[in-house]
Amino acid sequence: MRSIDPDQLDALSASMGLHGNVVIVHLSGELDMATAPRLHLQLSEAARLISPPRLVVDMAGLGFCDSSGLNLMVKTLNEVKRAGGRLVLSGVGERFTRLLRVTGLDRSFQTYPSVELAAAELGDIAY
């Protein structure tokens, strides 16, 4: 029987892919003070793949997000907007939705139930 390292359960995994002219970043695991710096580098890289940036951050696999993770998402949103692009969220769970609502950030972030709907929204942008 294989043992599971408890540290692996708390890890954050991020993978990137293209859906037309939109970059999709799939998250799974936990976004917290320990994992936010690495994710910031990955999101910055994703934002540079297409100009202006069009990012969908898929949070369907995200099990936890603390204030440092939320701060990272706000920082990334602002960076993408300054570059003339858009960032939207998909697969946002109940906890994160509540966090956005309580902080008033639900007015800043557009959310979609699926990656496909989010990518379709961003793919139709005319620049």
Side-chain angles (χ1 to χ4, degrees):
M1 184 150 108
R2 192 176 139 214
S3 66
I4 296 174
D5 181 355
D7 291 336
Q8 289 180 330
L9 296 175
D10 298 336
L12 177 72
S13 172
S15 61
M16 279 187 273
L18 286 175
H19 184 342
N21 61 352
V22 177
V23 179
I24 312 293
V25 180
H26 297 278
L27 302 181
S28 63
E30 297 190 359
L31 177 52
D32 57 22
M33 185 171 62
T35 59
R38 181 172 48 92
L39 181 59
H40 182 247
L41 294 174
Q42 291 172 304
L43 290 175
S44 294
E45 178 184 327
R48 288 190 301 270
L49 291 175
I50 295 175
S51 183
R54 289 177 295 280
L55 295 178
V56 173
V57 179
D58 178 28
M59 304 182 93
L62 198 63
F64 174 80
C65 181
D66 70 4
S67 61
S68 56
L70 183 60
N71 183 50
L72 167 63
M73 296 309 297
V74 171
K75 182 178 181 177
T76 304
L77 176 67
N78 291 333
E79 290 171 356
V80 167
K81 283 183 174 181
R82 276 194 302 276
R86 285 183 60 202
L87 178 149
V88 299
L89 306 176
S90 70
V92 178
E94 187 178 318
R95 284 182 170 174
F96 197 76
T97 298
R98 188 170 48 243
L99 183 60
L100 291 176
R101 198 172 330 120
V102 166
T103 58
L105 290 170
D106 58 335
R107 293 183 296 270
S108 299
F109 285 97
Q110 288 183 289
T111 62
Y112 296 86
S114 70
V115 169
E116 293 78 18
L117 289 172
E121 169 68 20
L122 294 185
D124 291 338
I125 299 172
Y127 286 96

